[in-house]
Amino acid sequence: MQFLVAESETPDEREARRESAGKSSGETYAATLAQMRPDATITIVAPADADPLPLTADEIAAYNAVFITGSPLHVYDDTPEVRRQIAFMRAVFDSGVPSFGSCAGLQLAVVAAGGRVRKMADRLEAGIARRIVATETGRTHPLLAGRPTVWDAPGIHGDEVEALPADADLLASNAVTRVQAAEIRHHGSVFWGVQYHPELAIGEIAAALRRQAPSLVDSGLANDIDEVETLAERLDRLHRAPDDRAARWLLGVDDQFAREDRRRTEIGNFLANLALLRRNEENDMAKTLTASFDTRREAEMTIERLVQDHGFDRNDIFVVAEGDENSAGLEVAGSDNESAQPSPETRDDAALEGRIKVSVDIEDDDRAETVRAAFAEFDAEQVAAN
């Protein structure tokens, strides 16, 4: 896999962040991605810089995914740095490569696709973005798969999305900022973005608060620098010991914020769906693996293995009768039964007669290997790719 990380900072801002947090925003993203996908090759670029020349859409198309970082820049400012960033994001959309962005990365994609961003009036969101809630669309969107009804996330920003582009879906909001998560479809490409920071370690949040302490006091979020430092120290404590119950209680957070894997939920979901999001001009249809089973039970066990253990969507799995004498099981069974309504031990209807064919959509080699392993575990026959 080839990943392109675009850090949305100027050289001075990158150096300031290294001094306080140890890494630039792009280096943080690269480190996070390297942990999550150690097999990936990661390239960092800085679109805000005047040199070197920005990548073209054709050059970006060589990558599997693009990640857009946060930044102190304001995308509504008409400066050369901002114009170069917007031009880069438009090239990403033109490339057909799926992209993901957080904070200013979301805002940049919004403006590049025709939406609007504004300064937040008389408020900031700093440290912890509280009580984020998925919209009706977001509750079933793969970007937020695994998130509970309400969650907290790392967040620090003074700008927000005012209006999403035409081809976009609002996926999550909270009381501070209406657009906390969104999908944008533009020029054949798909962007998933969040206003918060799933890529950040908790210690990096503490460092960001210390960098911006004067503005937090000016905004009224803290009475003085000492109060900002107290919050930063509590975050540092949780960073060192994520299971520290007292540290969690003092901050009012749970696993969604304290555990690294939970904080990174949206990035993990994006990586898991890359093949589906990628526009493939040679073959727009996902490939399918098909297998035949002697019994319905074997087919059901295979499906449950894929869904429960490997996170496959049931909508990507299809069950049909191999012969026309078999109904392939029109009656509910297995995990589809209502609670306290177990499947009968014996059945004599057509659902148990004849062979069952199971087909699973696949988009990449890893997914195909997982499906083949599940087929083999439950004695599938006639395995074929279509």
Side-chain angles (χ1 to χ4, degrees), residues 207-259:
L209 293 178
R210 291 186 174 103
R211 283 197 308 276
Q212 301 184 37
S215 65
L216 300 180
V217 174
D218 291 344
S219 70
L221 287 184
N223 290 318
D224 52 43
I225 299 295
D226 289 342
E227 288 188 347
V228 178
E229 180 58 32
T230 297
L231 178 56
E233 288 175 353
R234 289 176 178 176
L235 288 166
D236 281 334
R237 176 178 170 181
L238 188 63
H239 174 79
R240 292 190 298 268
D243 294 325
D244 185 330
R245 292 178 63 189
R248 290 183 176 211
W249 178 77
L250 285 169
L251 290 167
V253 298
D254 60 11
D255 277 351
Q256 296 296 314
F257 185 91
R259 280 181 47 181

Side-chain angles (χ1 to χ4, degrees), residues 26 110 116 136 148 173 184 193 254 259 263 277 288 292 348 378:
V110 164
R116 298 191 306 277
E136 183 175 355
S173 305
I184 301 171
D254 60 11
R259 280 181 47 181
R263 286 197 307 278
L277 295 172
T288 301
S292 178
D348 56 9
F378 297 103

Side-chain angles (χ1 to χ4, degrees), residues 18 40 45 56 63 70 91 98 112 134 175 177 216 220 260 268 270 291 310 315 353 356:
R18 289 188 186 105
V45 295
T56 66
Y63 293 89
T177 298
L216 300 180
E260 183 177 77
F270 176 75
H310 299 291
N315 292 327
E353 296 177 358
I356 304 293

Side-chain angles (χ1 to χ4, degrees), residues 82-147:
V82 170
R83 288 196 296 270
R84 285 192 288 266
Q85 284 186 314
I86 294 173
F88 172 82
M89 192 66 223
R90 286 173 177 158
V92 172
F93 279 125
D94 289 340
S95 74
V97 176
S99 53
F100 180 95
S102 52
C103 200
L106 167 66
Q107 296 166 13
L108 184 64
V110 164
V111 171
R116 298 191 306 277
V117 170
R118 65 187 175 192
K119 181 177 177 60
M120 296 167 66
D122 302 323
R123 57 198 162 91
L124 291 173
E125 193 162 42
I128 305 172
R130 302 280 189 181
R131 296 180 293 279
I132 302 169
V133 181
T135 63
E136 183 175 355
T137 300
R139 285 195 291 271
T140 57
H141 194 280
L143 172 63
L144 302 179
R147 284 295 191 187

Side-chain angles (χ1 to χ4, degrees), residues 63-67 92 95-100 189-192 270 273-279:
Y63 293 89
N64 298 99
V66 179
F67 298 85
V92 172
S95 74
V97 176
S99 53
F100 180 95
S189 289
V190 179
F191 170 88
W192 286 0
F270 176 75
N273 285 276
L274 265 183
L276 184 65
L277 295 172
R278 174 83 195 220
R279 182 181 68 198

